[in-house]
Amino acid sequence: MEALIASYGETSSDSDTESPAPPPEKKTSQESTPVLPPPPLSLLDSPNSLGFLDYSASQASRVRNFPHVEGNYALHVYIPVYIPAAPRKEMAVFMRRLSSVVPGLHAVDVDVPLEVLCKDEHRFEQVALGREFHISLGRTVPIRVHQIDSLVAMLKQKLQTQRRYWIDFSKWEVFVNDDHTRTFVSVEVITAGLAEITKQIQAVNEVYKLHNLPEFYKDPRPHISVAWALGDTRESLKKVVEDERRKSTVGGSLQKCIFTSRFSGIECKIGNKTHKICKFSDE
């Protein structure tokens, strides 16, 4: 048992789950903590430095979705997504415009303020958009160590054979997490890939139910998140996103697709360990 615990690293790490539906009335209060100044861009040159930036920023601004409990591990089931180089450039232009209007936006995961990254166009694209993103297939929840083997085995049984398909990310959208503590700028899947992802969410829900874990949202809206801001600023941020989206249209017609990505598999992260859940069928 001790060897199993060691392989998964530290227990119950926090991770935000964004809600596509109006969140509950209850709001989570945050203790006031000193805000650290943004790090110099030179620190972003080394991949190892990204972990440091994530740690320092998270201490000043993040609020746990669930309390830390010794022996619990955070579970996250997702589809990994990488943004192709060409659309990445166009998205970077959109996000830089957004950050010039909305102060306090941060890049997801590394938690570096976008206004800092704006000082270097290449660095902005590399750090803010040149990393792995996730389409969540289930809520991020704490589990006990004795549940790990059963969860992974059942997820593989339900999802191990999947056909390849294309995913269209077609709409800029704004979401807020369940506790109202963070608002996210996201790119939503509304056409190609939506049916396949919805079926995969249903399969994950079945496994969650068997382990008495909370199911995903009733009307899931698959997306990746690329930036976040503190608090529930959904209404004001959504207005700015819509305004900027209209400005970015060409000839008065809305852009049909922001970028397309091929489904690359399903992963399950538990603590610090990542499990590959599915393999592909060409049938």
Side-chain angles (χ1 to χ4, degrees), residues 90 244-256:
E90 296 177 9
E244 291 300 319
R245 189 168 67 91
R246 280 192 291 269
K247 292 177 185 177
S248 66
T249 58
V250 178
S253 61
L254 295 179
Q255 187 178 9
K256 291 183 178 180

Side-chain angles (χ1 to χ4, degrees), residues 133-151:
F133 294 93
H134 302 144
I135 299 175
S136 293
L137 300 180
R139 293 180 185 269
T140 299
V141 293
I143 62 171
R144 303 294 292 178
V145 67
H146 68 268
Q147 296 177 295
I148 293 175
D149 288 344
S150 174
L151 270 161

Side-chain angles (χ1 to χ4, degrees), residues 20-38:
E25 293 296 324
K26 180 181 177 183
K27 293 188 177 183
T28 303
S29 61
Q30 301 181 50
E31 295 180 1
S32 59
T33 54
V35 179
L36 298 177

